[in-house]
Amino acid sequence: MTERETMTERETMTDEELHELAVKQTALGEVRGVPAADPVNVPMIRHWLTAMGDANPVYLERGLAPPAMAQVWTMPGLARREKDRSPVDDMLAALDDNGYTGVVATNCEQTYRRYLRVGERLTSATRFSGLAGPKRTALGVGYFATWHITWYTEDDEPVADMLFRILKFRPAKKESLPPYPLQPAINQDTAFFWEGAERGELRIQCCADCGELRHPPGPLCPHCRSAERTYTLATGTGTLFSYVVHHHPPVPGRETPFVVGVVELPEGVRIVGNVVDCPIEEVEIGMPLRVTYRAMDDRLVLPMWRPE
Ligand code: ZN
């Protein structure tokens, strides 16, 4: 069954009905969840500190949790229980059912009222606070949903708050994506480079005042701060300065493994690009390379590098 067929079989709500549901969910006010499965505890704090690379000894020495862990203690996980349902869940389910299946978080604002201590058991309380849309965004048409969570101790003391906002959007249809979906961000600082690639030229940005070359392109000369810029044509040769072999994750439109190199140009700048036409085991730092231009689809030409 195609995605389109699935859509038409679903109960679809109008924009008005989605907003009516939002008003209803907002009117529920703050809804308490179930108490956290575990109290604030040392193993989770230690795990967090390791993952974050936070070497501050104060937490473990004094039995305090890093404030940014607030949400950790009550995370429901995938096996969320029905009695732990929040006013947000029905709203998000309705958006899913109406085709707004894409999700991206846009805002997260946390407020910490004090440090949490080992042994305290938290309960989160959620209130839905707004639905805005439908709005046209770069990702597709969607709704912004906002809610607030407050964490309470067993004594009903609020200890941390969070505003969270997500965009639920209708993902663009696959056929509208180019064959090679990873497109560079082309703007007025970088357009000259991509226009050059289309013509088989390796253009390097150049300060129009002091002549210093720079890559990647940018608005100001890091040498003299001038905003006047032009470009020069590189000879198209270079040596491999560094590289990685990309095995995973999969990249749309590319076959793995492939080599991503940093190539040092005789002009004095370095540029990132794929090393191609060379068995991976023969790729080595210092090897001489020459630029080659590969069309990824009918819109994008990428400069790549092959053995000289
Ligand atoms: Zn300059």
Side-chain angles (χ1 to χ4, degrees):
M1 194 172 4
T2 70
E3 197 179 330
R4 192 174 298 275
E5 282 163 343
T6 315
M7 291 280 301
T8 51
E9 281 174 14
R10 279 182 181 154
E11 293 281 324
T12 51
M13 293 166 76
T14 64
D15 293 341
E16 286 72 24
E17 287 166 334
L18 285 170
H19 280 286
E20 278 165 24
L21 178 61
V23 169
K24 205 177 109 204
Q25 298 310 100
T26 304
L28 292 173
E30 191 176 78
V31 176
R32 294 267 177 131
V34 297
D38 296 293
V40 173
N41 63 80
V42 168
M44 279 171 75
I45 294 173
R46 193 191 308 281
H47 194 63
W48 170 281
L49 293 173
T50 305
M52 293 295 168
D54 187 342
N56 189 337
V58 72
Y59 300 113
L60 293 174
E61 279 172 10
R62 295 177 54 190
L64 302 174
M69 285 185 78
Q71 198 177 11
V72 166
W73 309 110
T74 55
M75 274 276 187
L78 292 174
R80 186 177 202 135
R81 290 158 294 186
E82 190 55 32
K83 61 184 171 177
D84 204 15
R85 220 172 151 76
S86 88
V88 178
D89 297 318
D90 290 330
M91 191 72 242
L92 299 188
L95 290 167
D96 279 336
D97 289 345
N98 283 275
Y100 300 99
T101 52
V103 63
V104 59
T106 61
N107 299 68
C108 179
E109 298 169 16
Q110 297 193 342
T111 307
Y112 314 120
R113 305 194 188 200
R114 67 161 170 80
Y115 285 98
L116 297 175
R117 293 181 287 269
V118 168
E120 292 185 305
R121 190 183 294 264
L122 300 187
T123 300
S124 68
T126 305
R127 67 185 164 87
F128 188 73
S129 45
L131 184 73
K135 297 192 183 217
R136 190 164 294 280
T137 76
L139 292 168
V141 174
Y143 281 89
F144 289 91
T146 306
W147 61 90
H148 287 79
I149 296 179
T150 302
W151 285 274
Y152 293 90
T153 63
E154 285 162 303
D155 302 328
D156 251 2
E157 179 195 355
V159 285
D161 309 271
M162 177 171 73
L163 173 154
F164 204 73
R165 181 173 298 134
I166 62 174
L167 169 67
K168 291 284 287 170
F169 60 96
R170 287 195 165 131
K173 290 274 177 290
K174 279 202 174 70
E175 50 268 29
S176 71
L177 291 175
Y180 182 71
L182 300 181
Q183 300 289 319
I186 298 179
N187 57 39
Q188 57 180 337
D189 291 327
T190 62
F192 77 95
F193 179 85
W194 299 106
E195 287 159 14
E198 268 183 38
R199 291 171 175 77
E201 296 175 358
L202 189 62
R203 297 178 176 178
I204 304 298
Q205 197 172 50
C206 173
C207 175
D209 279 326
C210 76
E212 184 99 344
L213 298 186
R214 59 183 190 262
H215 188 87
L220 283 185
C221 174
H223 187 65
C224 77
R225 307 286 174 219
S226 169
E228 300 300 318
R229 63 271 178 99
T230 178
Y231 63 84
T232 185
L233 293 187
T235 56
T237 61
T239 54
L240 189 58
F241 181 78
S242 179
Y243 72 97
V244 295
V245 180
H246 182 102
H247 293 272
H248 196 78
V251 176
R254 297 296 301 270
E255 265 183 39
T256 55
F258 56 84
V259 177
V260 183
V262 177
V263 181
E264 189 153 63
L265 307 189
E267 289 81 6
V269 296
R270 292 174 190 154
I271 183 169
V272 173
N274 293 119
V275 179
V276 294
D277 299 344
C278 179
I280 284 175
E281 58 278 9
E282 289 176 21
V283 174
E284 57 178 3
I285 287 172
M287 69 192 292
L289 297 167
R290 176 166 291 277
V291 72
T292 174
Y293 299 91
R294 301 289 161 94
M296 305 309 289
D297 56 27
D298 56 3
R299 315 181 200 186
L300 179 66
V301 175
L302 286 181
M304 294 189 181
W305 298 85
R306 57 177 172 75
E308 172 72 304

